[in-house]
């Protein structure tokens, strides 16, 4: 660690404009979620004086990271790679858990398949080949990880077996992730200014020289040597959602923060950045129909409903409209949320029977869940608000009749237990809905983040529209375009934020050193 770092005095939270103006940072990080904090920590550890500017007040800090369930996708060859990150696992636990492996090659296969082979090859490789190191890096900085039992592994014959490549989750999800990273930032004396939205990049000769921002409605300019944009995408902005995602998307609910209004993208593009990636695409999930317009910090991610592969989904016409068992939920949930928006009333119902109840995750059992329950399908049909009851019963009967009774149900594998003869067959886990009590969950679309961003190099430098880079400008997290198209694999968002955040912090310090 450099002498510069050791010589810096403690940097408290900057609570008024005079403190900000006199601070004189080397690097300004815009945003205060996972990617931003990783960038700030990385830069600070290499000697830079860092200021984080967060648009939200302190009580709502952390952006979308507060609302994540904590899936963290990294490549690993076997249990030794798990122990390298999570050494506290006991020998007894190891005997009862089959972690399997999730190779670099499998990670590539998933990224290419889910994005229909559009993911940027260089950025994808940077993400995947750094993923294990990034997981270890955040763990070394206080983030606790644990096996994702019951989320990515079910207990069969007394043993948990992982199936989706997501061996470890962040303990406590987003809130604990942020708690750990903020604690590390505090130990490193990183300064943070809340209620300080940045709205413009200061430029001189096509080089970024600082920021123009507001602090509690007071405008100011601040010079610095480099800026890292890590302030999210435009999912919170209904106008931008309608403009880029299409009609109806302005009516979708937002899974997370209300502060990701696209400001970072707009200011980067105004500075000459190359727009990049799937601007008409987003990560969206099944979300409780009565959830608020934006994420509720007291609920976090618990309005989500991801266990549809073990039931059926019907729209208000009473029809099934997707193959619920096409793949594990972590490979379909981020695109199936958008399918709900195409349905009548932008609503759907997830239907389960008693056999599937033990497989459902905790979010199905929170108090604020829009749910119907009955001891017969006929009774349930009358309780499903807005659904055509006659057609619903016909749909369930046809589904039940089409289920394959000869194949054994196994939630840990793509079991091939399929229906036959339906307009939309269910490919895996097709069990009849026939055991009371029956229960159903009313959902709509919840947008997590949008896929469009700016083009960056593998060093997280923002590229301009002419193919060069914008000196002094870096980006990480949802700002990075080109990784995700059409769909998304669970856990890659946090990993992308951590990986490109680390890289952006390092690159910004290297840029400073080269331009002293």
């Amino acid at each position: 660690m450099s002498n510069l770092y050791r010589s810096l005095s403690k940097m408290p939270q900057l609570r008024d404009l005079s403190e900000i103006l006199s601070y004189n940072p080397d690097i300004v990080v815009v945003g205060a979620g996972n990617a931003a904090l990783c960038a700030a920590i990385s830069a600070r550890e290499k000697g830079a004086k860092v200021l984080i500017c967060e648009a939200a007040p302190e009580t709502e800090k952390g952006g979308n990271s507060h609302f994540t369930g904590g899936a963290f996708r990294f490549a690993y060859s076997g249990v030794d790679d798990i122990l390298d990150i999570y050494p506290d696992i006991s020998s007894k636990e190891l005997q009862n858990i089959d972690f399997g492996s999730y190779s670099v090659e499998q990670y590539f296969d998933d990224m290419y398949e889910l994005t229909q082979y559009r993911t940027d090859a260089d950025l994808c490789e940077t993400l995947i080949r750094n993923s294990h190191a990034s997981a270890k890096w955040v763990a070394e900085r206080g983030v606790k990880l644990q096996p994702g039992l019951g989320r990515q592994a079910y207990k069969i014959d007394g043993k948990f077996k992982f199936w989706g490549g997501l061996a470890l989750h962040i303990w406590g999800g987003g809130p604990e992730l942020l708690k750990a990273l903020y604690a590390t930032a505090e130990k490193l004396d990183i300064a943070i200014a809340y209620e300080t939205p940045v709205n413009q990049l200061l430029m001189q000769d096509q080089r970024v020289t600082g920021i123009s921002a507001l602090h509690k409605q007071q405008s100011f300019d601040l010079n610095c040597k480099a800026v890292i944009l890590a302030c999210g995408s435009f999912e919170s902005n209904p106008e931008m959602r309608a403009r880029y995602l299409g009609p109806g998307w302005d009516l979708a609910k937002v899974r997370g923060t209300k502060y990701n209004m696209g400001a970072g993208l707009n200011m980067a593009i105004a500075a000459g950045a190359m727009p990049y990636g799937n601007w008409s695409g987003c990560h969206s999930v099944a979300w409780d129909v009565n959830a608020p317009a934006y994420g509720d910090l007291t609920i976090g991610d618990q309005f989500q409903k991801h266990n549809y592969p073990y039931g059926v989904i019907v729209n208000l016409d009473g029809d099934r409209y997707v193959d619920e068992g096409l793949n594990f939920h972590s490979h379909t949930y981020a695109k199936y949320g958008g399918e709900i928006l195409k349905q009548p009333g932008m609503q759907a119902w997830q239907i389960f029977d008693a056999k599937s109840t033990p497989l459902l995750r905790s979010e199905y059992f929170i108090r604020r869940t829009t749910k119907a329950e009955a001891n017969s399908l006929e009774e349930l049909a009358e309780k499903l608000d807005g659904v055509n009851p006659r057609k619903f019963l016909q749909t369930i009967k046809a589904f039940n009749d089409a289920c394959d009774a000869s194949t054994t149900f196994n939630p840990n594998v793509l079991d091939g237990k399929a229906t036959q003869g339906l307009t939309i067959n269910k490919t895996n886990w097709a069990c009849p809905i026939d055991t009371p009590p029956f229960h159903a969950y009313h959902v709509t679309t919840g947008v997590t983040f949008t896929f469009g961003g700016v083009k960056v190099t593998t060093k997280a430098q923002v590229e301009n529209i002419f193919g060069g880079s914008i000196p002094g400008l870096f980006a990480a997290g949802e700002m990075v375009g080109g990784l995700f198209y059409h769909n998304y694999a669970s856990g890659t968002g946090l990993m992308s934020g951590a990986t490109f955040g680390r890289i952006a912090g390092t690159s910004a310090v290297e840029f400073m050193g080269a331009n002293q």
Side-chain angles (χ1 to χ4, degrees):
M1 199 168 290
S2 73
N3 291 330
L4 173 62
Y5 165 68
R6 287 196 295 268
S7 69
L8 292 174
S9 60
K10 184 169 178 59
M11 301 174 189
Q13 183 186 141
L14 306 185
R15 297 185 180 277
D16 60 53
L17 185 55
S18 64
E19 291 182 335
I20 296 173
L21 292 174
S22 63
Y23 189 67
N24 193 30
D26 296 318
I27 296 171
V28 171
V29 177
V30 184
N34 169 55
L37 291 166
C38 288
I41 292 167
S42 176
R44 183 73 177 103
E45 288 179 341
K46 290 175 174 58
K49 186 177 182 182
V50 179
L51 169 64
I52 294 174
C53 290
E54 165 68 303
E58 185 175 7
T59 54
E60 298 179 64
K61 67 185 180 184
N64 267 355
S65 300
H66 190 99
F67 299 89
T68 178
F72 209 45
R73 185 176 293 265
F74 60 89
Y76 62 97
S77 299
V79 70
D80 287 342
D81 283 345
I82 300 297
L83 292 172
D84 195 32
I85 298 168
Y86 178 62
D88 297 332
I89 191 168
S90 69
S91 57
K92 183 177 181 181
E93 285 179 296
L94 281 176
Q95 291 175 0
N96 295 322
I97 301 174
D98 179 3
F99 283 107
S101 63
Y102 186 62
S103 67
V104 165
E105 291 74 21
Q106 287 174 294
Y107 206 153
F108 274 113
D109 286 346
D110 283 342
M111 284 292 291
Y112 277 98
E113 179 183 355
L114 291 172
T115 63
Q116 298 177 28
Y117 298 89
R118 292 181 182 271
T119 187
D120 181 290
D122 292 333
L123 297 180
C124 183
E125 181 168 19
T126 300
L127 169 69
I128 292 171
R129 296 200 185 279
N130 284 279
S131 62
H132 186 271
S134 291
K136 187 174 181 179
W137 186 87
V138 299
E140 289 171 346
R141 283 148 187 82
V143 177
K144 298 178 182 177
L145 293 103
Q146 65 179 4
L149 306 179
R151 296 175 70 90
Q152 299 292 326
Y154 293 107
K155 199 169 190 178
I156 304 294
D157 297 328
K159 191 165 188 172
F160 286 98
K161 180 179 174 59
F162 279 86
W163 42 261
L166 288 164
L168 299 181
H169 282 229
I170 292 165
W171 175 82
E176 291 298 325
L177 165 70
L178 290 172
K179 183 178 178 181
L181 292 178
Y182 273 102
T184 298
E186 183 177 354
K187 290 176 184 176
L188 293 172
D189 300 329
I190 294 171
I192 301 177
Y194 295 107
E195 297 180 74
T196 307
V198 178
N199 50 47
Q200 187 178 356
L201 296 168
L202 301 181
M203 306 283 292
Q204 184 175 356
D205 298 328
Q206 305 305 309
R207 172 177 172 170
V208 172
T209 59
I211 59 166
S212 181
L214 297 172
H215 178 69
K216 300 179 180 178
Q217 301 304 311
Q218 292 180 281
S219 61
F220 69 95
D221 291 346
L222 185 68
N223 291 325
C224 60
K225 298 172 183 175
V227 173
I228 301 172
L229 295 175
C231 49
S233 51
F234 62 83
E235 75 279 350
S236 306
N237 189 326
E239 186 274 336
M240 290 185 73
R241 291 201 307 271
R243 188 186 345 157
Y244 292 112
L245 303 183
W249 281 97
D250 51 325
L251 303 178
K253 295 180 184 291
V254 176
R255 184 180 176 186
T257 179
K258 62 186 178 184
Y259 292 97
N260 284 5
M261 300 294 286
L265 293 169
N266 288 332
M267 73 178 84
I269 290 170
M274 170 67 80
Y276 194 52
N278 187 192
W279 277 73
S280 61
C282 70
H283 177 310
S284 59
V285 305
W287 199 245
D288 193 278
V289 74
N290 286 316
Y294 294 95
D296 184 329
L297 289 170
T298 65
I299 300 296
D301 71 337
Q302 296 297 292
F303 286 123
Q304 67 190 4
K305 299 291 178 283
H306 290 347
N307 283 137
Y308 54 83
Y310 309 123
V312 298
I313 315 171
V314 299
N315 60 22
L316 297 188
D317 290 335
D319 293 317
R320 291 176 56 248
Y321 59 90
V322 292
D323 176 358
E324 303 91 343
L326 179 65
N327 207 325
F328 295 110
H329 81 268
S330 57
H331 288 67
T332 60
Y333 79 123
K335 70 174 181 177
Y336 276 7
E339 293 299 318
I340 301 172
L341 206 67
K342 302 175 184 178
Q343 305 310 308
M346 302 179 184
Q347 301 172 39
W349 284 87
Q350 296 181 3
I351 314 297
F352 304 94
D353 70 358
K355 298 193 302 297
S356 56
T357 301
L359 300 174
L360 300 186
R361 290 167 25 165
S362 61
E363 59 258 28
Y364 284 87
F365 304 105
I366 65 170
R367 185 174 181 181
R368 289 173 63 182
T369 293
T370 308
K371 176 183 179 181
E373 190 168 359
N375 287 317
S376 71
L377 288 169
E378 290 75 16
E379 181 186 0
L380 185 68
E382 299 299 328
K383 292 184 176 182
L384 303 182
D385 288 347
V387 175
N388 181 323
R390 179 182 60 81
K391 188 59 181 293
F392 166 75
L393 291 172
Q394 291 175 349
T395 295
I396 299 300
K397 183 179 186 305
F399 175 84
N400 288 349
D401 290 345
C403 289
D404 172 18
S406 63
T407 303
T408 302
F409 172 77
N410 186 344
N412 281 327
V413 299
L414 298 172
D415 64 4
K417 189 173 176 61
T419 61
Q420 294 184 349
L422 300 178
T423 303
I424 301 175
N425 279 309
K426 186 175 180 182
T427 306
N428 296 283
W429 312 299
C431 297
I433 309 295
D434 60 4
T435 306
F438 304 96
H439 41 115
Y441 300 84
H442 201 177
V443 294
T444 187
T445 298
V447 180
T448 308
F449 68 91
T450 49
F451 291 156
V454 295
K455 196 172 192 306
V456 301
T457 70
T458 56
K459 297 293 187 180
Q461 299 166 294
V462 175
E463 296 187 37
N464 64 31
I465 58 175
F466 305 109
S469 61
I470 300 176
L473 187 60
F474 305 84
E478 296 173 6
M479 290 282 304
V480 174
L483 277 172
F484 308 119
Y485 292 78
H486 310 299
N487 198 1
Y488 167 93
S490 178
T492 46
L494 280 181
M495 180 51 69
S496 170
T499 296
F500 285 96
R502 291 174 58 212
I503 293 171
T506 298
S507 297
V509 174
E510 290 174 351
F511 173 82
M512 284 170 43
N515 291 272
Q516 292 289 358

